[in-house]
Every structure is written in C-alpha cells, then in structure tokens.
Amino acid sequence: MDTIWQYSIRTLLGFIVLLLLTRLLGKKQLSQMTFFTYITGIALGNIAGEMV
C-alpha cells in the first residue's frame, strides 16, 4: 500500500513541476521555438516520464 502512495505523490509532484515550468517557459508555437527550448522541453518530458 505504501508504494501506491509513493507513486501517487511522485506523479502529482511531477505534474506540478511540469505545469510550473510550462507556465514559466510560456506558450510558443513550434516554429517560434529555438532549438534550445525545443530540446529543453523534450528533456523535461523525458524526466517526467522516468519519474512516473
């Protein structure tokens, strides 16, 4: 039962962090993104996927 709570908390925290980072980076169209912001977004998504 403890592992269910751990996974739930990790998922919730990961979602909150990604939401905050998305708000900080702002909404840009793919064509307006620089290569760096595109790669940063992919890396953050990969990190979040590994957390879950």
Side-chain angles (χ1 to χ4, degrees):
M1 191 70 169
D2 289 334
T3 57
I4 293 172
W5 286 108
Q6 287 176 350
Y7 288 137
S8 299
I9 291 171
R10 288 173 77 187
T11 303
L12 183 63
L13 288 176
F15 179 75
I16 290 171
V17 168
L18 281 178
L19 184 65
L20 290 174
L21 287 174
T22 302
R23 296 291 180 188
L24 288 175
L25 292 175
K27 297 177 183 177
K28 287 187 175 182
Q29 295 290 331
L30 187 58
S31 62
Q32 294 175 335
M33 286 186 171
T34 64
F35 183 71
F36 179 73
T37 56
Y38 181 71
I39 296 299
T40 303
I42 291 174
L44 289 174
N46 190 21
I47 291 169
E50 291 293 324
M51 282 177 46
V52 173

